[in-house]
């Protein structure tokens, strides 16, 4: 099976939820919630599962924004977005993340993991994405 991962952009009132990594890859960088697609799992199902496992947020109505190969990890990455979710964000995996925080979309920290960096480059969470 190809190496695949899913990432999710959670948006609420011009804020985006991101996580600060506590381990490699991208230790010390901020990134999107997400992770590996398991065997017999769709990228969308993996995205929903990973968001809940990492943040305790249940999301739905995901929209696939972009898919591409991450040259840094060799994973084929699917980036989804949604404004449909419920729950209060919490760090459910402190061994993997040191922080979970909402940021204004125009004030995202500069130290970013690949999926978040690519999403910022393409303005995937703005009203006018570059796709």
């Amino acid at each position: 099976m190809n190496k695949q991962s899913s990432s999710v952009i959670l948006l609420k009132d011009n804020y985006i939820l991101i996580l600060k990594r506590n381990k490699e890859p991208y230790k010390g960088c901020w990134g999107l919630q997400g992770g590996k697609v398991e065997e017999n799992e769709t990228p969308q199902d993996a995205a929903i599962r990973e968001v809940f496992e990492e943040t305790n947020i249940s999301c739905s109505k995901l929209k696939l924004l972009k898919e591409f190969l991450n040259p840094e990890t060799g994973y084929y990455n699917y980036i989804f977005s949604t404004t449909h979710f419920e729950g209060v964000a919490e760090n459910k995996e402190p061994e993997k993340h040191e922080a979970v925080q909402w940021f204004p979309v125009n004030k995202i920290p500069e130290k970013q993991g690949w999926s978040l960096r690519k999403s910022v480059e393409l303005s995937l969470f703005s009203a006018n994405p570059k796709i």
Side-chain angles (χ1 to χ4, degrees), residues 26 29-31 72 111-118:
Y26 309 115
C29 294
W30 290 90
E72 296 175 9
K111 196 165 183 189
Q112 302 165 2
W114 190 85
S115 294
L116 179 58
R117 189 169 65 241
K118 196 69 170 171

Side-chain angles (χ1 to χ4, degrees), residues 51-68:
V51 168
F52 184 75
E53 286 176 0
E54 293 177 346
T55 67
N56 204 41
I57 289 180
S58 297
C59 60
S60 62
K61 298 184 183 178
L62 272 59
K63 177 183 175 189
L64 180 63
L65 298 180
K66 196 79 174 156
E67 51 186 275
F68 36 68

Side-chain angles (χ1 to χ4, degrees), residues 6-78:
S6 292
S7 301
V8 182
I9 296 169
L10 292 177
L11 291 170
K12 180 181 178 180
D13 301 325
N14 245 4
Y15 280 75
I16 184 172
L17 184 68
I18 56 177
L19 309 146
K20 189 171 187 183
R21 297 276 303 175
N22 201 22
K23 64 178 235 176
E24 295 299 341
Y26 309 115
K27 183 175 182 170
C29 294
W30 290 90
L32 299 172
Q33 40 284 320
K36 295 176 186 172
V37 177
E38 304 289 338
E39 194 171 336
N40 299 317
E41 185 176 47
T42 67
Q44 183 166 329
D45 288 343
I48 291 167
R49 175 184 52 77
E50 286 284 350
V51 168
F52 184 75
E53 286 176 0
E54 293 177 346
T55 67
N56 204 41
I57 289 180
S58 297
C59 60
S60 62
K61 298 184 183 178
L62 272 59
K63 177 183 175 189
L64 180 63
L65 298 180
K66 196 79 174 156
E67 51 186 275
F68 36 68
L69 181 67
N70 177 339
E72 296 175 9
T73 64
Y75 274 80
Y76 194 77
N77 189 250
Y78 298 85

Side-chain angles (χ1 to χ4, degrees), residues 84-120:
H84 301 275
F85 54 88
E86 55 187 43
V88 176
E90 62 179 273
N91 185 0
K92 287 180 58 179
E93 296 183 331
E95 68 283 358
K96 291 182 182 176
H97 307 105
E98 65 179 77
V100 174
Q101 190 172 335
W102 290 97
F103 283 93
V105 294
N106 61 348
K107 294 192 175 159
I108 295 171
E110 288 187 27
K111 196 165 183 189
Q112 302 165 2
W114 190 85
S115 294
L116 179 58
R117 189 169 65 241
K118 196 69 170 171
S119 298
V120 169

